[in-house]
Amino acid sequence: MLSAKMIERLNKQVALEHYSAHLYLAMSAWCDHNGLAGSAAFLKAHSDEELAHGRKLFDYINETGALAVIGAIDAPPIQYGSLKEVIEKTFEHEKLITRSINELVDAALSEKDFSTFNFLQWYVGEQHEEERLFMSILDLFSIMQPEGRDLYLIDREIGSKLAR
Ligand code: OFO
C-alpha cells in the first residue's frame, strides 16, 4: 500500500511523463514544419514512448489500490531557433526527468517502500539509456556543421535512430 505522499509523488511523475510526450510532439511539429522529416519522425516516436512511461506509472498506482490522477499539464514551447537547440533542450529535459526519478527512488527508500523502489528501477535504467541517446545525437553537432548539406545528414541520422 502506498503512502499518501508517495501517491502524490507518483501522480506528479505521471503528469511529468505526459508533459514530456507533449514537449516532444511539439518539437516534432516544429521539425516537420522546417523540413526536418527524420527528426520529426524520431521525436514523434519518442513522444509515444513517454506516453508509455506515464501509462506504466498510472497502472502501478492503480494496481496498489490507490487512485491515479490525470492532472493539468502545461503547454510546451512551440518555437525553436534551430535543430541544435531542439536537441539541446531534449537533453536538458531528460536530465530533469532523471533528477525527478532519483528523488522518487530516494523517497521510496526513506519510506521503506520496497515495492515502489523495485518498480522504479525500470525508470532508473531507462533514464540512463535516454540520456545516452540524446547525448549521442548532440555529439553529431560537434562533428558536423548544423546547416546546409550537413544539416540534411544530421536529420537523416536522427531519423535512423528510430529503428535502434
Ligand atoms: Fe524520456 O523519459 Fe520518460 O521517463
Side-chain angles (χ1 to χ4, degrees), residues 13 17 24 46 50 53 94 97 101 123 126-127 130:
Q13 189 66 31
E17 300 292 346
Y24 295 154
H46 210 80
E50 300 299 346
H53 296 173
E94 286 302 331
I97 301 289
I101 294 293
Y123 287 86
E126 183 67 10
Q127 280 316 114
E130 304 243 301

Side-chain angles (χ1 to χ4, degrees), residues 20-35:
S20 306
H22 287 189
L23 176 65
Y24 295 154
L25 200 56
M27 288 171 165
S28 167
W30 183 88
C31 290
D32 200 16
H33 193 66
N34 286 280

